């Protein structure tokens, strides 16, 4: 798993929460972090993905991806975003990551 794939998975998890809650804090983050707005690898606001890359340790495995995601989100200093992400259990996360990585997607190796 590469950094961009992890970034996309975090986006998907938070987007699922936003779909249910329409929380403005989550929505603002998603707007800036959107990895699908442009064709290149990154985010709508390039500093979001750049900062993300500085927090993530490699190698990233499916097994450690959840803890890496939590580490990054906690570093943002916004408990609302952490809480939204934590609604996804580690078990559900791992299943979702496996599904995502098994299909063609932006940023795959």
């Amino acid at each position: 798993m590469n950094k961009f794939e992890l970034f996309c998975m975090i986006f998907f998890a938070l987007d699922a929460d936003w779909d249910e809650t329409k929380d403005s804090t989550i929505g603002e983050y998603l707007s800036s972090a959107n990895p699908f707005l442009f064709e290149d690898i990154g985010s709508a606001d390039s500093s979001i993905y750049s900062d993300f890359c500085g927090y993530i340790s490699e190698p990233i495995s499916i097994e450690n991806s959840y803890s890496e995601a939590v580490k990054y989100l906690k570093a943002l200093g916004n408990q609302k975003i952490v809480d939204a992400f934590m609604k996804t259990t580690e078990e559900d996360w791992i299943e979702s990551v496996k599904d995502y990585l098994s299909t063609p997607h932006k940023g795959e190796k």
Side-chain angles (χ1 to χ4, degrees), residues 36-108:
F36 305 108
L37 191 58
F38 301 111
E39 198 169 309
D40 64 339
I41 300 301
S43 53
D45 174 342
S46 61
S47 68
I48 302 291
Y49 183 66
S50 178
D51 291 346
F52 167 81
C53 288
Y55 286 107
I56 300 303
S57 303
E58 292 188 280
I60 305 164
S61 65
I62 292 172
E63 293 76 22
N64 78 356
S65 62
Y66 188 84
S67 61
E68 287 293 313
V70 171
K71 177 178 79 172
Y72 162 69
L73 293 171
K74 285 183 176 180
L76 294 177
N78 189 318
Q79 192 60 44
K80 212 176 235 195
I81 292 174
V82 174
D83 291 345
F85 181 82
M86 298 299 287
K87 291 177 185 175
T88 302
T89 67
E90 188 168 3
E91 182 178 285
D92 288 343
W93 169 266
I94 289 173
E95 185 178 315
S96 295
V97 168
K98 287 178 180 177
D99 288 344
Y100 180 66
L101 294 177
S102 71
T103 61
H105 56 273
K106 182 177 178 182
E108 65 186 312

Side-chain angles (χ1 to χ4, degrees), residues 12-41:
F12 290 140
L14 291 174
D15 190 51
D17 178 76
W18 185 84
D19 283 344
E20 290 180 19
T21 67
K22 304 297 188 225
D23 183 276
S24 62
T25 300
I26 305 303
E28 288 173 25
Y29 174 79
L30 290 171
S31 293
S32 297
N34 189 337
F36 305 108
L37 191 58
F38 301 111
E39 198 169 309
D40 64 339
I41 300 301

